[in-house]
Amino acid sequence: MSRPYTFVPPAGVRAYRLSTSRGEFAVLDAAPDGPPEGTALLLPGFTGSKEDFIALHAPLAAAGYRTVAVDGRGQFETDGPRDDETAYAQSELAQDVLAQAAAIGSPVHLLGHSLGGQIARAAVLIDASPFVSLTLMASGPAEISPAQQERVKLLRDALAVMSMAEVWEAIRAMEPPEETDTGGLDAGLDDLADLRRRWLGNSPAQLVATGRQLCVEPDRVTELAAVPLPKHVISGERDDTWPVSLLDEMAVRLDAHRTLVEGAEHSPNADEPLATARALAGFWSSTARRDLP
């Protein structure tokens, strides 16, 4: 489970509900002081939320970029059916992304973390025209690792017989002691309360449907490689969801820019936000230079 350093929007980050042709989505939106160099739409991963990108907003705004992080349908503060999995088919979530891009104001740089990367890929394969570039952050070519598949299966089985609150308590009981220790958090941050509130905000149907997608996702790298869009594969040095070597191989197949963030694991956006922001801004800037005569 991702762990942002805060759930409180910092100064300069605006929380609101983005109105689109497919409904309203909770977002965190940050803009630079002057005219933006570009706008980026940020999609979180499985069990995550828009807050996972909260440490990126300020450095990316300083680099000249507007960033809009979104809770997907049925994720945290965005409404969604709690018992209808059809609403969370990957094609439906991809159409949501296209609607979000239109509402923000295309063209945008699209970034997806983990599950969000596979949803971003699906959106681009439907229609790449709203996007300037695609960044896949710690998001692999196909299904997640066998160990992670087993974890997702345990979660899906638990959700079939337990309430969200009961599953939360079970998750907490299984975590190692270092994960439950909040001593390293910022003073005044009630981390467990915020994480629990986010967990309870998720739709069970969304978790079941997207968890299944992660376990059966086919390899669509060849399809994506044919899309004439600048691509970026970024990850930490270590990743137990997709092996880093597999992400390296995917970047080659995509002819994508590749960034390895030192000291980071599956969430470089939270583990090493400054280095991650520098890499993102550098890539986005390079896409603008490609358009110059």
Side-chain angles (χ1 to χ4, degrees), residues 27-28 37 45 52-55 59 124 159 161 164 169-170 172-173 231 242 257 266:
V27 303
L28 294 176
E37 298 289 332
D52 293 345
F53 302 106
I54 212 161
V124 166
L159 288 170
V161 296
M164 289 290 286
E169 294 304 325
R172 298 300 302 157
K231 304 172 187 75
W242 288 277
H257 182 67
H266 185 59

Side-chain angles (χ1 to χ4, degrees), residues 182-270:
T182 60
L185 296 168
D186 291 348
L189 175 61
D190 190 355
D191 178 73
L192 292 182
D194 285 323
L195 290 172
R196 183 178 187 276
R197 180 170 60 89
R198 176 172 69 176
W199 172 259
L200 295 178
N202 286 316
S203 157
Q206 182 266 131
L207 292 171
V208 171
T210 57
R212 183 180 296 108
Q213 289 168 31
L214 285 169
C215 294
V216 301
E217 178 73 4
D219 187 320
R220 305 186 71 186
V221 174
T222 300
E223 290 178 72
L224 184 61
V227 177
L229 200 65
K231 304 172 187 75
H232 184 193
V233 175
I234 181 171
S235 73
E237 300 181 283
R238 297 172 297 281
D239 197 309
D240 61 1
T241 304
W242 288 277
V244 171
S245 60
L246 194 62
L247 300 178
D248 292 339
E249 178 188 329
M250 182 179 71
V252 172
R253 294 172 62 195
L254 290 172
D255 191 24
H257 182 67
R258 179 72 171 108
T259 299
L260 200 67
V261 181
E262 293 185 5
E265 297 189 16
H266 185 59
S267 298
N269 43 309

Side-chain angles (χ1 to χ4, degrees), residues 71-138:
D71 285 339
R73 184 176 303 278
Q75 236 179 4
F76 190 27
E77 294 181 324
T78 293
D79 296 334
R82 298 189 71 79
D83 56 3
D84 178 11
E85 293 181 35
T86 62
Y88 306 107
Q90 190 184 78
S91 59
E92 292 296 319
L93 300 178
Q95 290 290 350
D96 287 347
V97 173
L98 295 172
Q100 292 156 10
I104 291 168
S106 300
V108 301
H109 297 283
L110 181 60
L111 179 152
H113 173 233
S114 196
L115 170 71
Q118 296 195 335
I119 295 170
R121 177 173 74 179
V124 166
L125 289 173
I126 292 171
D127 183 5
S129 64
F131 306 111
V132 181
S133 71
L134 172 65
T135 295
L136 303 176
M137 178 182 286

